[in-house]
Amino acid sequence: MTYRLYSYWRASAPFRVRIGLNLKALAYDIVPVNLAEGEQGSGIYEALNPQRLLPTLEIGDGVRLTQSLAILEWLEESHPEPALLPADPTGRAVVRAMAEVVACDIHPVNNMRIMKAITGLGGDQSGRDAWTRRWISDGFDALEKMIARHGDGFAFGSTPTLADCCLVPQVYNARRANMDISAWPHLKAAYDRAETLDAVVAARPDNQPDAVKA
């Protein structure tokens, strides 16, 4: 069947899920939800996702999944090949930890809701940029050491995993914040490898149907 992914072209969490779906070679339709215009707060979308966040993945029979990591884990369990988690429990825990550095520690404090809140408290653009770079740098410092230890072409091992699904969008965000990622050479090498994959190219923000062209 064809899934339906409620997505916004530049948002990190849907970007992760697009990569995962593409790596699994699964068919899906994009349903754009414009975060910049507040469409996630509409009654129509709130009926699908009471948290009013993206992404939401409709998988049939009225079932809708939310939260990007939960969706990626469901994809792994429902469509185990190609695997996005290692076979051994320890390796799986390491990959999940890498993914959570991004999805639980970096991204939540830098997303659109938080930036709006900082602005509401009087923060200017320079302050918001410093805030963003601080949390990305902290997370990338940790990931650099983890990738140096466990990576072998990708963030973990020699094939893409959930860690890469999370890493690629976060590097995209870092570059939007004008950060030079060469300070993290192992992380950069894993990113450079991942971004050449067809699955990642197709998931890129600029390749989405709702992308705003410069």
Side-chain angles (χ1 to χ4, degrees), residues 99-129:
E100 289 177 11
V101 169
V102 173
C104 300
D105 296 331
I106 302 176
H107 177 242
V109 295
N110 289 323
N111 65 23
M112 186 181 294
R113 293 186 303 165
I114 300 302
M115 292 298 103
K116 287 182 177 179
I118 291 173
T119 300
L121 293 171
D124 59 11
Q125 187 62 53
S126 64
R128 291 193 297 272
D129 290 346

Side-chain angles (χ1 to χ4, degrees), residues 53-65:
L53 297 176
L54 294 175
T56 297
L57 183 69
E58 290 188 331
I59 60 173
D61 297 325
V63 178
R64 303 178 184 97
L65 305 178

Side-chain angles (χ1 to χ4, degrees), residues 2-5 18 21-22 26-30 57 202-203 208:
T2 298
Y3 300 129
R4 287 164 56 89
L5 179 67
R18 294 195 302 264
L21 286 162
N22 292 345
L26 297 171
Y28 63 100
D29 293 326
I30 292 287
L57 183 69
Q208 302 315 300

Side-chain angles (χ1 to χ4, degrees), residues 78-150:
S78 301
H79 307 276
E81 297 297 333
L84 298 181
L85 284 170
D88 65 292
T90 301
R92 295 165 83 88
V94 172
V95 168
R96 288 179 170 121
M98 289 179 171
E100 289 177 11
V101 169
V102 173
C104 300
D105 296 331
I106 302 176
H107 177 242
V109 295
N110 289 323
N111 65 23
M112 186 181 294
R113 293 186 303 165
I114 300 302
M115 292 298 103
K116 287 182 177 179
I118 291 173
T119 300
L121 293 171
D124 59 11
Q125 187 62 53
S126 64
R128 291 193 297 272
D129 290 346
W131 172 275
T132 297
R133 288 192 292 266
R134 180 260 170 95
W135 297 113
I136 293 176
S137 294
D138 282 0
F140 280 8
D141 286 346
L143 284 170
E144 173 69 13
K145 296 179 178 68
M146 298 171 82
I147 295 170
R149 180 175 181 182
H150 299 287

Side-chain angles (χ1 to χ4, degrees), residues 10-210:
R10 204 163 60 182
S12 296
F15 192 174
R16 297 170 197 150
V17 174
R18 294 195 302 264
I19 294 172
L21 286 162
N22 292 345
L23 287 169
K24 297 286 189 181
L26 297 171
Y28 63 100
D29 293 326
I30 292 287
V31 182
V33 178
N34 193 321
L35 295 181
E37 295 183 2
E39 289 182 359
Q40 71 277 16
S42 70
I44 295 173
Y45 186 69
E46 187 175 5
L48 301 176
N49 184 334
Q51 201 176 9
R52 296 177 295 176
L53 297 176
L54 294 175
T56 297
L57 183 69
E58 290 188 331
I59 60 173
D61 297 325
V63 178
R64 303 178 184 97
L65 305 178
T66 62
Q67 291 291 341
S68 61
L69 290 188
I71 294 171
L72 289 169
E73 291 272 5
W74 178 86
L75 290 173
E76 181 71 357
E77 294 173 2
S78 301
H79 307 276
E81 297 297 333
L84 298 181
L85 284 170
D88 65 292
T90 301
R92 295 165 83 88
V94 172
V95 168
R96 288 179 170 121
M98 289 179 171
E100 289 177 11
V101 169
V102 173
C104 300
D105 296 331
I106 302 176
H107 177 242
V109 295
N110 289 323
N111 65 23
M112 186 181 294
R113 293 186 303 165
I114 300 302
M115 292 298 103
K116 287 182 177 179
I118 291 173
T119 300
L121 293 171
D124 59 11
Q125 187 62 53
S126 64
R128 291 193 297 272
D129 290 346
W131 172 275
T132 297
R133 288 192 292 266
R134 180 260 170 95
W135 297 113
I136 293 176
S137 294
D138 282 0
F140 280 8
D141 286 346
L143 284 170
E144 173 69 13
K145 296 179 178 68
M146 298 171 82
I147 295 170
R149 180 175 181 182
H150 299 287
D152 183 18
F154 292 93
F156 183 100
S158 59
T159 58
T161 66
L162 297 190
D164 301 284
C165 293
C166 291
L167 176 63
V168 169
Q170 191 56 62
V171 171
Y172 172 81
N173 284 347
R175 287 181 163 167
R176 287 182 62 203
N178 298 314
M179 294 182 68
D180 179 4
I181 67 167
S182 63
W184 302 280
H186 292 93
L187 180 152
K188 182 179 184 301
Y191 168 79
D192 288 344
R193 176 79 178 276
E195 75 160 352
T196 65
L197 298 175
D198 290 344
V200 173
V201 172
R204 286 177 185 164
D206 290 348
N207 289 330
Q208 302 315 300
D210 57 328

